[in-house]
Amino acid sequence: VFNNKSNHDQRRESSFIKTQILTYHKQLHVDKSAFVSTILAPHNVMHMSFFFSGGSNKEESFCWRLEINDQIPRRVDSSGFLVKTLCLDSVNSLTHEVVSSMVLEFSLLDSLKICGCKGLTSLTIDSPTKLLHLSISGCPKLRYLEIRSFKLKTFHYQGSLPLIKIHEHFNLTKAIFDVTQGPSYYNNGLDIGPLSLIIKNSQYLTLCRWMFEEVIKPSISSSWRSFQFYKLQELRWIDNSMNQENINSMISFLKLCPSIERLFIDIDSNTYSSNEEVSVDAVHACEHARVLRDLKLVKLEGFESEDNKNQLILALQQIVSNDQLLLVLSSIS
């Protein structure tokens, strides 16, 4: 048998076949009104998206418990595909139990992304030893989040901040709290102490001013002299404006971050602001008059007032070393 194909054609065909093997797309009907689209992607990634014809059950409220199997798998799946990253989109009250059972089969799962679950009100994540990365977004009804995963390293949350219960202490290296919509809780039941501790050793942090004032600052008030985010290298700070009071609040936080190198400030007028004015204690500010020796880059986004921008730069100059070169970049509004 003679093969008349050139080496280039053979390589191109081989590449096409590999792509078809690595990216697998299948649709399964859950019931008459719902079906799931499953995509197997490279690097052991599975995407599952749920679609509904009627739409009536998509918004129905439900509580969800996800338990991740920490046991070593006895056998490899016949397909040879091991799921390490699972992306779940639009799980609802009809499908969450099926998904929970399925997740138990993924004993090597270390990354979980949950998004678009419109009816989700309570979520429990139980993974004592395996889960390293957790991302939650697009769940507007979520009021309660419980996490038991003491090896968790990155956490990304986008939406209204729910009540959060932490079972075992874990040290996040990257924490993103994109909670511009404010809190979703309506009482003082937030267990704020553990929440501050799990982000204390973060190297990368995204934070809204209101969260610092209402959640973090009260939890560290008794240890204000000694508490530091001593490993923090990069901070993204989100606020609704940058007047002098808000500048003071951010400077108060920066003085808790002696190793910070990069600061990104995003101004969005739609960001939630504290209902009560929270003043920065002048005594505490003096006690924390630390010099930021590593801050090299500041990037400003969304600033409309040149006066506010100049006030901010002046305030930053007062907390960096006199001989330190500080690069300030600003986007054009």
Side-chain angles (χ1 to χ4, degrees), residues 95-137:
T95 57
H96 72 283
E97 292 183 355
V98 175
V99 174
S100 296
S101 299
M102 177 197 66
V103 170
L104 284 172
E105 301 296 323
F106 302 149
S107 56
L108 296 180
L109 186 67
D110 63 18
S111 181
L112 178 63
K113 298 180 181 180
I114 299 173
C115 64
C117 301
K118 306 298 184 182
L120 182 61
T121 58
S122 174
L123 176 62
T124 298
I125 303 292
D126 191 350
S127 174
T129 62
K130 288 290 180 67
L131 196 64
L132 300 177
H133 313 286
L134 176 62
S135 175
I136 303 171
S137 62

Side-chain angles (χ1 to χ4, degrees), residues 42-58:
H43 309 295
N44 305 100
V45 178
M46 174 182 281
H47 296 264
M48 297 190 71
S49 300
F50 292 82
F51 301 90
F52 311 92
S53 58
S56 58
N57 293 308
K58 191 174 182 179

Side-chain angles (χ1 to χ4, degrees), residues 13-268:
E13 183 178 70
S14 175
S15 176
F16 174 78
I17 293 173
K18 288 179 181 178
T19 302
Q20 295 304 304
I21 293 174
L22 290 174
T23 304
Y24 169 78
H25 184 198
K26 187 174 183 179
Q27 293 183 353
L28 297 173
H29 285 272
V30 179
D31 58 24
K32 294 181 179 180
S33 62
F35 66 91
V36 56
S37 171
T38 303
I39 299 176
L40 305 182
H43 309 295
N44 305 100
V45 178
M46 174 182 281
H47 296 264
M48 297 190 71
S49 300
F50 292 82
F51 301 90
F52 311 92
S53 58
S56 58
N57 293 308
K58 191 174 182 179
E59 306 288 340
E60 187 175 329
S61 298
F62 68 100
C63 301
W64 193 10
R65 178 184 180 85
L66 270 175
E67 184 178 352
I68 297 173
N69 184 6
D70 287 342
Q71 301 298 320
I72 299 175
R74 296 180 180 178
R75 60 182 178 83
V76 177
D77 185 82
S78 58
S79 66
F81 192 88
L82 297 174
V83 178
K84 292 186 176 181
T85 298
L86 179 62
C87 306
L88 298 172
D89 185 7
S90 301
V91 177
N92 78 340
S93 58
L94 294 178
T95 57
H96 72 283
E97 292 183 355
V98 175
V99 174
S100 296
S101 299
M102 177 197 66
V103 170
L104 284 172
E105 301 296 323
F106 302 149
S107 56
L108 296 180
L109 186 67
D110 63 18
S111 181
L112 178 63
K113 298 180 181 180
I114 299 173
C115 64
C117 301
K118 306 298 184 182
L120 182 61
T121 58
S122 174
L123 176 62
T124 298
I125 303 292
D126 191 350
S127 174
T129 62
K130 288 290 180 67
L131 196 64
L132 300 177
H133 313 286
L134 176 62
S135 175
I136 303 171
S137 62
C139 304
K141 291 185 178 181
L142 189 61
R143 298 292 180 265
Y144 178 78
L145 175 61
E146 185 174 347
I147 301 176
R148 180 172 178 255
S149 181
F150 65 86
K151 287 194 174 182
L152 199 65
K153 292 300 179 184
T154 67
F155 179 58
H156 180 185
Y157 187 87
Q158 185 177 33
S160 299
L161 183 68
L163 290 167
I164 299 179
K165 182 176 181 180
I166 308 296
H167 275 281
E168 283 97 2
H169 176 73
F170 50 86
N171 291 311
L172 295 173
T173 58
K174 184 176 184 179
I176 298 176
F177 289 93
D178 191 351
V179 289
T180 58
Q181 301 172 38
S184 64
Y185 50 88
Y186 301 103
N187 55 60
N188 295 322
L190 184 64
D191 195 3
I192 55 180
L195 186 59
S196 298
L197 290 176
I198 65 172
I199 65 174
K200 181 179 180 180
N201 294 319
S202 295
Q203 298 175 28
Y204 308 92
L205 178 63
T206 294
L207 198 66
C208 295
R209 173 180 56 84
W210 78 263
M211 189 173 170
F212 168 56
E213 294 178 343
E214 294 189 11
V215 178
I216 297 176
K217 194 165 183 279
S219 71
I220 64 175
S221 58
S222 61
S223 58
W224 188 267
R225 290 173 179 270
S226 59
F227 194 96
Q228 294 185 50
F229 296 90
Y230 65 97
K231 290 186 178 181
L232 188 62
Q233 299 175 11
E234 181 176 302
L235 171 67
R236 180 187 173 212
W237 183 268
I238 306 174
D239 207 339
N240 66 331
S241 67
M242 195 52 71
N243 55 38
Q244 189 60 57
E245 183 181 354
N246 293 353
I247 291 174
N248 292 341
S249 184
M250 186 191 68
I251 295 297
S252 177
F253 180 80
L254 287 175
K255 289 178 179 179
L256 304 177
C257 311
S259 302
I260 190 168
E261 299 176 3
R262 299 173 298 277
L263 172 62
F264 301 88
I265 304 174
D266 292 351
I267 301 301
D268 181 355

Side-chain angles (χ1 to χ4, degrees), residues 290-322:
R290 305 187 181 103
V291 176
L292 303 183
R293 303 183 184 279
D294 299 320
L295 183 61
K296 299 178 178 64
L297 172 65
V298 178
K299 188 173 182 181
L300 312 178
E301 294 279 352
F303 279 72
E304 296 181 355
S305 170
E306 285 296 326
D307 290 339
N308 290 346
K309 189 184 300 184
N310 294 333
Q311 289 176 349
L312 171 63
I313 295 174
L314 179 61
L316 290 172
Q317 289 175 339
Q318 295 174 353
I319 60 172
V320 299
S321 302
N322 292 330

